[in-house]
Amino acid sequence: MRVIVDKERCVAAGSCVITSPAVFDQNDDDGKVVLLIETPDERLREEVAESVNVCPVGALSIAD
């Protein structure tokens, strides 16, 4: 699994950080998503998928 982030679409809602804090963080300056782990362990798949689903602007995706 590889996580893909479109920082241009990100609106700094923080939903990804709430649902998967091991994989996502927010930039201190603009609040936009920071990807901590590009290829997270499979045990994180469910929470990363939830982050993708709750992103209000579709800035996140998963590639297998």
Side-chain angles (χ1 to χ4, degrees):
M1 167 177 60
R2 185 170 61 90
V3 180
I4 301 165
V5 173
D6 183 345
K7 289 187 180 184
E8 295 300 315
R9 289 187 87 164
C10 181
V11 294
S15 302
C16 57
V17 179
I18 293 167
T19 56
S20 190
V23 178
F24 303 102
D25 199 356
Q26 285 181 280
N27 182 296
D28 289 335
D29 294 329
D30 61 9
K32 291 195 176 194
V33 64
V34 174
L35 184 59
L36 301 175
I37 306 171
E38 184 178 350
T39 55
D41 189 286
E42 279 297 313
R43 65 184 172 78
L44 295 172
R45 179 179 286 276
E46 188 174 315
E47 66 182 53
V48 171
E50 180 66 16
S51 293
V52 170
N53 288 332
V54 299
C55 179
V57 294
L60 308 173
S61 60
I62 297 172
D64 285 312

